[in-house]
Amino acid sequence: MRTYLLKRLLFCVPTLLGITLVTFALSRMVPGGPLSQRLALLHEEGIEVGDEEIARYRDLLALDRPLLHQYGTWLRQSTTLDFGRSQSGDNLPVRTKIGEALAVSLGLQLVSILFIYVLSIPVGCYGAVCYGRWHERWVTLGLLLLYSIPVFVLAYLLIVLLCTGQVLSILPLHGLRTIDRQGFTWLDHAADIARHLVLPVICLSAAGFTAMTRYMRAGMVEALALDFVRTARAKGLRERTVIFKHALAHGIVPVLALLAGLFPYLLSGSVIVENIFGIPGMGRLAFDSVQSRDYPTLMALSLIIGIATMAGFLVSDLLQAAFDPRVRLR
Amino acid sequence: MQSSTAVRWAVLLAGVILASLGVLFATSIDQAEGEAQRTEPPPFLKSHAFTDLARKSLKGSSSEPPVRGGTLTTSWFTDPQTLNNITRYDSYANRVCRYFLFPPLLDIDGSTLELRPELAASFPELSGDHRTQTWTLKKGVCWHRGLADGTVVEVTTRDVQFCFDLIKNEKLAAPHLQSPLAKFKSLEVVDAYTFRIKLDEPYARAVYDFGWEFRLMPAHLVTAPPERFDEDPLSREPVGYGPFRVEKWDRGSHLTLVRNLSYPSPAHKPYYVERLRLLFVRDLDQTLPLFRRGEIDIAVMNDPTRYEVARKEDDLRERATFHEYYLPRWLYIGWNNDHWAFRDPRVRRAMTFFFPREMMASRFYEGHAAVLSGPFAINAKGYNHAVKPLPFDPGAGEALLREAGFADHDGDGWLDRDGKKLEFVVLEPINNPAALESGFEMFQKELSKAGVAMTTEQMAFDVLLESRAKTHQFAAISLGWSPDPVDDDLFVVFHSSMCEGGNNFVNYRNPECDALLERARVEHDPQERIRISHRLHEIIDADHPMTFLINPESLVLVSTRIRDVNITQLGSLMYDWWIPK
């Protein structure tokens, strides 16, 4: 086990290097750059900048150095978690920007994942137990429809139904908290956050919930057909005990193993949902960084999400081995 | 008897002659009046109120006296990148800093587009050779934060000197500020409130450039060196001196400004609102729902169709006033004047005949755009309303193309000349408005009917600008220009010396135009400057280096809970808006 872990960790180093190198190359291959983005903004404002000033600007942003030098400098600094300063115009330390966005996305995604699991496990069990019955088919159809709805369509539908007053106006549609919170008790704060989270969490969880329900249902259907379940029934155990004690322990394994695969999902946020609901999370940061060709932020984001993905795979494998005795790690 | 008959005839003849002269005179007056009506500019500001409640909120309709207080919320697409008054460059930061935190020496009056002293006590005194300006700062303007011991610090020439030196420092990365201020060579402090600045050569817009562009930061609080000036903590927690100060900036969410009553605002800018909140809404589709919920008081509508739909909703007609004003912005298709086909001005004019600009403005912009004939905003003083936009007339376009030697010589259905087919690509930025895109589709169809093959190619704006426009690698390009609202300098756009390194992307060269542009830079008489602009307009219309498309309107909804609402040519400046308790 220890050897396996060491091997996997060692293997992470070249993979990460590869990820950063590819991101670096891709970001530099895209036409334009942080400076041209600023110059374009200035042009729109009717301000023209001379070549001399542009050259000085390039020098100050170190954009005129050879690419290998730029990559080497970034690599050296990032080993100490110093990702430099953003080139998007705010010039904030990248670490600060990512820290702020991560705090928002992490909280939101954790609630979504919790929501996914809390709902998908019982619905999946129900689907397996009632497999083939007419009402189960309707539920399956409903889930399929939910899965097919693009997230932005779902978001706008919910907004029209629940926020605009055209039907109801019971939920906020922007941000994560009310701006004027004077006189709020801790309970008011909690209720305020909960109300703001409802729609983003529904939108973020919809696809995950339906997919996870299908996995759960499939796992349980398989489990319910196994010999040990038949034996349990033959022993005269109650159906509830057979399902929740014996079959569930087997059927839940693939679903739990998938949990680790959601690590990168936790960190990367969602561009669409964050933009629609005005949430300044990681998805929006990544989108803005691409738009403004903010190289340092892009590099840091790819590194962090790369690490999260590899950690997710590793934990997933370890969980698989822990739950399923047939899996041996070498 | 005979003599009396002769007299009668003479009187009758004189009467007929007088009557004819009278008719002729009257006709000529009518014609002149008609001419005058036709050359009059269209109304630039329109406000609509559909109910009594809405009418009460418009400027001058309320009998109640204004009261101070309340929070006014508006939505912006995104945060300002920085609130560092020296290194700021995006439009959001410019608005927050210029209007609320760091008012400039001279401000632009939104109703007249004239300059007015703001931080300066008066307009500067100019030396006879226009090379020296003497400025005096208004007394009693204090920084929002003084010294650590609580001592209040006034804005003085110490701050001016500090910032002037900073801007001149080569290590500072603020090319957008250093470029326009490069012509000001030295600064001499006379006393705590008076200073002189010197230019190498006279420049007509020098007062405006310095008065509007020069920026201040608190010399007593700045800690960062010039090479890392935008890292100064003041970039995130700005300390200004203006009518508002920052109360809270929650990045990505909102920025709240609170009224600073100690600032000696000019009489026309009482700013009754206590708090001004800028809510950052990235999804523009959310603007109207937020307005409906009462979460924002001002909704800027980017889509004219949605604005028109909103105007018809009973609920919104009750809760909002609707305002329309022209942005200082013109959109155009630039024809590369060195291109084998567009070298001929007849071909360029023909292209304009094929573009259904009126139809685009009325159908896709819902009438919220003005068709242009020249390189000025429709409400600019320089716009020559006597030069009419060419009409949509494909027949005239085809005739011009025939005159230029184009015909379907090889019988393939497409026009050609000297064996070359008339086909071209219009480069355009990816974020062009949908209404403009629809206009391009109609343009393409019209050209196709006439045997001209046109396609569009979209690319990121910065890439378009850097790799295609500046290198002249295009046949046609769709761009826009945001002219200076007071007095635009078209030198960088049309002077032949600006083909390389400037904004004359279309390679336009005309010695008469060059001479006028050079004259405009040294002409100080405002009336003469307007005459120069009008002449430039005529020359450019005749040469047609570009097809000037439209000047779009900005469309704004303002909540009826606000009183004394008015709109200026610079938009909703909120100077005297107030909120009843």
Side-chain angles (χ1 to χ4, degrees):
Chain A
M1 175 76 166
R2 190 177 295 170
T3 321
Y4 173 79
L5 203 60
L6 201 65
K7 264 202 291 189
R8 285 290 295 263
L9 288 174
L10 278 176
F11 190 66
C12 285
V13 178
T15 313
L16 273 177
L17 273 176
I19 289 171
T20 59
L21 199 62
V22 169
T23 311
F24 183 85
L26 281 176
S27 63
R28 297 316 198 269
M29 276 160 67
V30 174
L35 194 53
S36 57
Q37 185 74 12
R38 286 188 203 196
L39 295 175
L41 274 174
L42 290 171
H43 175 83
E44 289 224 303
E45 290 280 296
I47 298 169
E48 276 315 304
V49 178
D51 288 344
E52 201 180 313
E53 277 92 0
I54 292 174
R56 208 150 37 105
Y57 216 170
R58 288 184 66 83
D59 177 46
L60 285 166
L61 289 176
L63 293 169
D64 54 352
R65 316 276 151 77
L67 285 179
L68 211 59
H69 180 270
Q70 288 183 39
Y71 178 69
T73 310
W74 177 83
L75 201 61
R76 185 164 37 79
Q77 288 178 341
S78 60
T79 50
T80 58
L81 291 183
D82 171 13
F83 298 121
R85 284 192 171 256
S86 163
Q87 290 176 343
S88 69
D90 55 22
N91 205 33
L92 285 170
V94 171
R95 220 162 41 182
T96 308
K97 285 182 89 165
I98 291 181
E100 285 173 2
L102 196 59
V104 172
S105 283
L106 208 59
L108 187 64
Q109 303 284 23
L110 270 175
V111 176
S112 312
I113 288 173
L114 194 70
F115 190 70
I116 289 171
Y117 274 84
V118 166
L119 277 185
S120 62
I121 292 174
V123 177
C125 287
Y126 158 80
V129 172
C130 303
Y131 183 69
R133 294 194 200 161
W134 67 270
H135 49 87
E136 189 271 333
R137 285 184 185 177
W138 278 110
V139 171
T140 306
L141 184 68
L143 289 174
L144 191 69
L145 281 175
L146 185 62
Y147 190 71
S148 321
I149 298 177
V151 69
F152 69 92
V153 175
L154 181 66
Y156 288 129
L157 272 175
L158 291 171
I159 286 169
V160 170
L161 286 173
L162 302 170
C163 303
T164 58
Q166 284 160 305
V167 181
L168 288 171
S169 181
I170 51 172
L171 288 172
L173 62 79
H174 191 264
L176 280 177
R177 303 183 79 173
T178 301
I179 294 172
D180 290 318
R181 297 190 294 269
Q182 280 171 339
F184 271 29
T185 61
W186 69 267
L187 206 64
D188 295 331
H189 279 292
D192 182 52
I193 294 173
R195 289 178 67 237
H196 279 85
L197 280 178
V198 173
L199 294 189
V201 165
I202 290 177
C203 294
L204 282 172
S205 336
F209 158 67
T210 47
M212 212 57 86
T213 305
R214 299 287 292 172
Y215 280 120
M216 188 65 213
R217 179 171 161 273
M220 280 296 283
V221 166
E222 188 193 319
L224 287 171
L226 291 177
D227 290 344
F228 72 91
V229 174
R230 196 176 302 124
T231 310
R233 279 187 179 131
K235 279 200 301 185
L237 291 178
R238 286 194 306 171
E239 187 63 12
R240 188 181 297 175
T241 314
V242 172
I243 293 166
F244 292 111
K245 194 173 172 190
H246 295 279
L248 185 62
H250 183 275
I252 206 168
V253 172
V255 176
L256 282 182
L258 280 171
L259 180 64
L262 294 173
F263 270 17
Y265 172 71
L266 272 174
L267 300 186
S268 59
S270 160
V271 177
I272 296 170
V273 172
E274 287 176 9
N275 265 332
I276 291 177
F277 293 103
I279 299 165
M282 290 286 274
R284 200 157 103 174
L285 179 65
F287 182 72
D288 287 350
S289 307
V290 173
Q291 290 275 80
S292 60
R293 315 286 198 284
D294 182 359
Y295 297 145
T297 309
L298 270 177
M299 291 297 291
L301 283 173
S302 71
L303 183 71
I304 289 170
I305 293 169
I307 290 173
T309 309
M310 284 191 295
F313 286 147
L314 183 61
V315 175
S316 179
D317 289 348
L318 295 177
L319 277 177
Q320 195 85 23
F323 281 106
D324 192 341
R326 292 169 300 179
V327 177
R328 290 281 172 270
L329 301 175
R330 278 180 290 176
Chain B
M1 181 69 184
Q2 276 180 348
S3 67
S4 68
T5 311
V7 168
R8 266 190 220 141
W9 274 109
V11 169
L12 191 65
L13 195 66
V16 169
I17 291 169
L18 276 174
S20 311
L21 280 174
V23 168
L24 271 174
F25 184 63
T27 314
S28 67
I29 287 174
D30 283 353
Q31 274 177 348
E33 276 177 2
E35 208 56 50
Q37 276 168 4
R38 278 205 298 278
T39 56
E40 244 175 45
F44 300 127
L45 305 172
K46 283 166 267 175
S47 291
H48 308 280
F50 297 105
T51 63
D52 287 341
L53 178 68
R55 270 186 283 279
K56 254 179 80 178
S57 79
L58 288 180
K59 173 96 179 151
S61 308
S62 172
S63 53
E64 303 162 66
V67 288
R68 287 201 178 278
T71 301
L72 193 147
T73 308
T74 184
S75 69
W76 279 13
F77 180 67
T78 185
D79 293 72
Q81 292 279 15
T82 173
L83 288 180
N84 183 314
N85 198 32
I86 300 288
T87 58
R88 67 175 158 92
Y89 65 91
D90 65 293
S91 60
Y92 300 103
N94 288 345
R95 287 183 66 183
V96 172
C97 290
R98 271 188 185 137
Y99 293 120
F100 306 119
L101 303 180
F102 307 90
L105 289 161
L106 299 178
D107 190 22
I108 302 171
D109 186 323
S111 48
T112 60
L113 294 186
E114 299 283 350
L115 291 172
R116 279 195 186 202
E118 176 75 38
L119 179 63
S122 59
F123 283 102
E125 285 173 27
L126 300 178
S127 63
D129 61 359
H130 288 276
R131 291 185 186 191
T132 307
Q133 303 173 358
T134 306
W135 292 84
T136 307
L137 297 175
K138 205 182 265 180
K139 288 181 185 166
V141 179
C142 298
W143 290 102
H144 296 158
R145 196 167 85 213
L147 299 176
D149 62 2
T151 312
V152 172
V153 177
E154 212 177 340
V155 177
T156 62
T157 46
R158 181 188 167 222
D159 301 301
V160 176
Q161 179 78 66
F162 171 78
C163 292
F164 189 83
D165 293 343
L166 181 69
I167 292 164
K168 290 288 168 191
N169 193 317
E170 287 200 348
K171 290 178 183 165
L172 179 81
H176 49 282
L177 185 58
Q178 289 160 320
S179 253
L181 295 181
K183 56 183 97 56
F184 301 97
K185 294 300 172 195
S186 63
L187 184 140
E188 180 197 337
V189 169
V190 178
D191 59 39
Y193 301 100
T194 315
F195 63 94
R196 285 195 196 99
I197 49 154
K198 290 190 173 148
L199 295 102
D200 272 353
E201 51 188 42
Y203 177 56
R205 285 165 36 104
V207 169
Y208 172 62
D209 273 3
F210 197 81
W212 178 244
E213 288 295 345
F214 185 69
R215 305 169 187 182
L216 290 174
M217 289 279 278
H220 64 288
L221 293 176
V222 167
T223 50
E227 60 272 26
R228 295 204 312 275
F229 193 68
D230 45 7
E231 293 173 20
D232 196 288
L234 293 172
S235 305
R236 292 264 282 175
E237 292 161 7
V239 174
Y241 51 82
F244 286 84
R245 60 186 165 76
V246 173
E247 187 178 59
K248 191 176 183 198
W249 185 9
D250 189 351
R251 281 189 78 86
S253 168
H254 68 278
L255 170 69
T256 305
L257 306 172
V258 65
R259 183 76 169 92
N260 165 37
L261 285 170
S262 69
Y263 178 73
S265 289
H268 69 288
K269 293 160 81 170
Y271 283 121
Y272 295 114
V273 173
E274 174 65 18
R275 270 187 182 72
L276 188 61
R277 180 165 295 143
L278 312 170
L279 191 67
F280 306 123
V281 181
R282 294 295 295 271
D283 182 9
L284 296 175
D285 290 334
Q286 300 291 53
T287 311
L288 209 51
L290 284 166
F291 186 83
R292 279 202 187 94
R293 289 170 58 95
E295 289 184 33
I296 55 173
D297 298 303
I298 303 173
V300 178
M301 308 288 290
N302 283 39
D303 183 350
T305 310
R306 279 198 192 168
Y307 174 77
E308 282 304 313
V309 170
R311 270 181 58 157
K312 291 183 182 83
E313 280 185 32
D314 289 340
D315 179 42
L316 286 173
R317 286 161 81 95
E318 187 68 32
R319 291 172 50 190
T321 49
F322 298 76
H323 308 267
E324 297 148 21
Y325 66 97
Y326 285 100
L327 294 163
R329 180 159 179 76
W330 44 273
L331 307 178
Y332 66 92
I333 302 177
W335 309 108
N336 190 337
N337 288 213
D338 285 349
H339 182 264
W340 69 273
F342 298 128
R343 197 175 292 145
D344 186 337
R346 287 171 300 185
V347 180
R348 304 196 292 257
R349 283 182 85 79
M351 294 299 127
T352 304
F353 276 122
F354 286 115
F355 204 118
R357 294 177 295 172
E358 282 290 354
M359 211 183 296
M360 177 175 78
S362 62
R363 193 185 293 176
F364 304 125
Y365 281 88
E366 304 277 354
H368 297 297
V371 175
L372 298 173
S373 62
F376 298 91
I378 191 79
N379 55 350
K381 289 180 187 128
Y383 191 95
N384 187 346
H385 290 275
V387 180
K388 299 292 169 202
L390 294 183
F392 168 60
D393 187 350
E398 284 177 42
L400 275 176
L401 288 180
R402 272 197 303 277
E403 205 181 295
F406 284 98
D408 184 10
H409 296 103
D410 53 9
D412 65 350
W414 300 103
L415 298 184
D416 57 84
R417 189 179 69 188
D418 305 329
K420 276 185 183 173
K421 183 177 159 188
L422 183 53
E423 60 181 342
F424 62 93
V425 176
V426 180
L427 300 180
E428 54 173 342
I430 37 177
N431 55 352
N432 254 354
L436 188 60
E437 282 307 299
S438 307
F440 272 115
E441 280 171 26
M442 287 165 69
F443 180 44
Q444 189 179 31
K445 275 184 198 158
E446 293 302 330
L447 286 173
S448 174
K449 278 186 218 164
V452 181
M454 183 279 262
T455 50
T456 56
E457 185 185 334
Q458 296 191 329
M459 51 179 70
F461 184 65
D462 55 328
V463 181
L464 179 75
L465 202 64
E466 288 292 304
S467 63
R468 306 297 287 273
K470 289 194 171 173
T471 54
H472 312 286
Q473 302 290 310
F474 65 90
I477 194 163
S478 160
L479 284 172
W481 182 253
S482 298
D484 197 289
V486 173
D487 182 7
D488 199 29
D489 183 3
L490 290 173
F491 189 92
V492 289
V493 189
F494 292 107
H495 196 274
S496 56
S497 66
M498 291 289 123
C499 291
E500 294 309 321
N503 272 334
N504 190 347
F505 307 138
V506 295
N507 291 318
Y508 173 59
R509 298 176 195 89
N510 179 325
E512 192 188 351
C513 181
D514 283 357
L516 277 171
L517 289 166
E518 285 158 22
R519 236 183 85 202
R521 289 199 138 189
V522 291
E523 178 57 64
H524 288 80
D525 176 16
Q527 290 309 313
E528 187 53 29
R529 289 178 60 75
I530 291 174
R531 275 191 285 277
I532 292 173
S533 296
H534 285 188
R535 178 67 194 132
L536 272 172
H537 192 146
E538 286 168 1
I539 296 172
I540 290 168
D541 176 60
D543 288 343
H544 237 75
M546 301 166 172
T547 292
F548 300 98
L549 297 174
I550 49 153
N551 184 163
E553 268 185 329
S554 189
L555 309 166
V556 181
L557 272 70
V558 181
S559 165
T560 46
R561 84 182 186 98
I562 315 292
R563 293 285 186 275
D564 275 336
V565 172
N566 66 337
I567 211 89
T568 72
Q569 299 193 58
L570 295 176
S572 45
L573 295 178
M574 303 171 275
Y575 290 155
D576 41 10
W577 297 13
W578 58 279
I579 302 167
K581 293 243 184 248

